[in-house]
Amino acid sequence: MRLTEQEQAMLNGEFGPGFARAMRVLVGIGKAFGAQRMVPISRGHISLSNQEGDLWFVSQMLEEGAHCRVPPTVNPAYDYEYFKTVSQLDGENERILKSTIDVYRKLGAVLTFDCTPFFENNVPRFGEICSFSASGGAVYVNSVLGARSNREAAQSAMCAAITGVTPEYGLLLKENRAGDVLIRVEADAATEYDYELLGYCTPKKMGQAYHQPVFEGLSPQTTAEQLMNLGTQLNVHGIVPMFHVAGVTPEAPDVETAFQGRKDYPVVTITDEDLAQARREISAGAGKADFCILGCPHLTIGQVGSIAAMLEGQKLAGQLYIFTSTSTRELARRMGYLDVIHAAGGEIVINSCVDQPCWSHLNGMSGVTESPKCAYYTKRWNMAFTVKSIPACIQSVLKGEIVE
Ligand code: F3S
């Protein structure tokens, strides 16, 4: 790789051992992927996780004097102040959680604790080079905003935030952003939940050989929430760093442009029966709805408002947790949604993620969620979910029984 004088000085240790370590990691990645050079980043987002390995890595960086030249936003940890009122955290998890937050703070990360920063705190412009980890975040900024980021690990994104550069390969290069399979949607995908089903069944139908689908046949009025759901679920059962929706996303004004002129792409058709089959696979379930978790990824103010409207004047039979960002919760408070949700017996939880060790109070109970990702990730916490649309989840937890 060709490095600039400053990059070479960093690699040589002239900025200190922490910067040298970060640059070594990036040079190693660059060589592995055939990058010719580094390019500056102007934004980053890190999928901070409260896990021993992540803590070890960032602690090394801190001890060696590194700090973030481009302060990144970070994924949720969990809201210790809130969760200590509902469940007991064991000492080891508490140590890792508090230490992780402390180290990220000292390294200069922006502690947003939100998995949808691309809606409010960290919104890249078209063509902007960034380093986003978190599968949902990277796919959204590439596909929907037209920014350029590889699908980073937490560690490589931290190294980019520290050095301010990233190796130029993969999705940073225009030629790698073309679609490789056409998904002809003949199904009637109308609701946010339909887009989740579409994101669930597409990787299964297109197979492992393809990674950048171009969707044709979706509404030009497709919403940001629908696109977020599609991108998130494409990465639960598949590896999709980027997708295009013809007539909707910025690099796909039409199918031909999305394929950058290539004509020999395979075509996969998604029918109503495919969505129905996905619904049967992930939504089958009956019986009790003891609790409901919504917001994996974090919900927008529009989604929170629609939940409040469903809860107006009602009392929940089960427990309801709605995940969102700090600023969206504040907006919900101002809009009166929080009062309605509290009056029904629910809660809006900030800074938190479903995939954290804070759910021991729900062990052995039956839950509903709108998110296949939530149901998949929480298996390791011994949580059992039925996946339904948001309206069906709310009806279920109001009744205490799963409804269609
Ligand atoms: Fe967000 Fe955690 Fe789900 S980071 S997308 S709530 S697994």
Side-chain angles (χ1 to χ4, degrees), residues 75-76 114-115 232 295-298 323 352-355 371 373-374 377:
N75 254 21
D114 170 24
C115 50
T232 301
C296 169
H298 285 179
F323 285 85
S352 302
C353 165
V354 296
D355 187 24
S371 165
K373 182 175 182 177
C374 168
Y377 276 29

Side-chain angles (χ1 to χ4, degrees), residues 193 196 282-296 316-323 354 359 362 365-372 374-375 378 383-404:
Y193 190 53
E196 297 202 270
I282 62 178
S283 292
K288 287 176 28 173
D290 300 311
F291 67 92
C292 172
I293 294 179
L294 303 173
C296 169
L316 290 158
Q319 302 174 47
L320 171 63
Y321 304 91
I322 299 165
F323 285 85
V354 296
W359 300 109
L362 300 178
M365 297 185 183
S366 305
V368 286
T369 179
E370 94 289 16
S371 165
C374 168
T378 51
M383 297 172 74
F385 281 100
T386 300
V387 183
K388 297 280 181 188
S389 65
I390 290 181
C393 285
I394 292 297
Q395 292 313 316
S396 298
V397 74
L398 275 168
K399 218 173 159 194
E401 270 172 42
I402 294 170
V403 299
E404 283 309 313

Side-chain angles (χ1 to χ4, degrees), residues 19 83 163 189 215 225 255 258 278 347 359:
F19 286 90
F83 278 105
T163 59
F215 291 89
E225 288 86 349
V255 168
E347 187 54 274
W359 300 109

